[in-house]
Amino acid sequence: MNHSIQSKLMQLNAILSQNNIDHFYIYDYTSRPKLVLAGSFDFSYYHNIEITFYEVSFLSCPGGVFSIECFRLANDKELELLKAVSYGFHEGPVICMEDLTFGTRFFIAAESLDYELKTVYYYRPENLQPHESVAEWVEKDREGRNNNA
C-alpha cells in the first residue's frame, strides 16, 4: 500500500512543481475522517488543487496557510518522534509535508489520498468552464443563508 501512496506523492510533487503551487491550507475537515487541503500560489481569488486524505488518524499542521515544497512518506526517525507526540494514536501511512527552504515538516497519517487539479474561485465568475467551481462559502451570505434561495 505504501508503494501506491509513494507513487501518488511523486506524481503530486511533479504537478505542484509544474504549476508553482506551494501554499496550502485545510479547506475541509467537516467530513471526518476525510481531510481536504487546498493548494495555490495565490489564495486571493482561487485555489488550483485539492488533495484529499482518507481515514485520517493523526494531523499535525497549522490551521492557517502554510508552505510546502515536498510531499513524501515520513522516515523512520520522524515516525519515532511522532510516536511520542501522538501517543501512538496514528494508524496507516504517515505523509510528511516539508518546506525544504525553512526545514519545517508537518504530518498527516491517512490510509490513502487523491488529488484533483481544478480551479475553485472565491468569487462568482461570469462563466464557469470544466474543472472550475465556486467555493461553497461564496454561495452563502453572512447569516449563513444560501444566496441562490
Side-chain angles (χ1 to χ4, degrees):
M1 172 167 297
N2 284 357
H3 178 69
S4 71
I5 288 180
Q6 188 165 0
S7 176
K8 274 190 182 177
L9 293 174
M10 289 172 58
Q11 294 168 358
L12 174 62
N13 286 330
I15 288 168
L16 298 175
S17 177
Q18 290 168 358
N19 291 282
N20 296 320
I21 300 170
D22 62 355
H23 287 84
F24 296 88
Y25 74 93
I26 297 172
Y27 183 64
D28 185 11
Y29 198 29
T30 58
S31 303
R32 291 185 180 113
K34 181 177 93 171
L35 174 123
V36 180
L37 290 182
S40 184
F41 68 90
D42 179 8
F43 286 118
S44 298
Y45 301 104
Y46 55 82
H47 63 258
N48 313 90
I49 193 166
E50 291 182 0
I51 306 167
T52 304
F53 298 86
Y54 299 96
E55 301 303 318
V56 173
S57 61
F58 179 79
L59 172 65
S60 172
C61 70
V65 175
F66 53 96
S67 295
I68 296 298
E69 294 171 304
C70 176
F71 285 77
R72 60 174 174 77
L73 289 173
N75 62 39
D76 290 339
K77 185 178 179 182
E78 291 164 337
L79 292 173
E80 277 301 310
L81 291 171
L82 278 179
K83 202 180 286 184
V85 298
S86 72
Y87 301 100
F89 290 107
H90 68 274
E91 299 175 4
V94 177
I95 293 105
C96 176
M97 303 174 292
E98 187 171 20
D99 180 338
L100 301 169
T101 303
F102 295 102
T104 53
R105 287 180 226 120
F106 309 111
F107 300 92
I108 296 176
E111 288 297 325
S112 62
L113 70 108
D114 280 315
Y115 56 86
E116 183 179 8
L117 272 174
K118 63 182 188 177
T119 302
V120 178
Y121 292 100
Y122 300 159
Y123 64 94
R124 285 190 200 98
E126 290 291 320
N127 297 309
L128 289 175
Q129 302 299 314
H131 299 288
E132 294 182 343
S133 63
V134 176
E136 183 179 306
W137 51 266
V138 172
E139 297 300 323
K140 298 186 183 224
D141 66 17
R142 290 180 203 163
E143 288 83 37
R145 294 181 306 226
N146 192 326
N147 283 332
N148 295 330

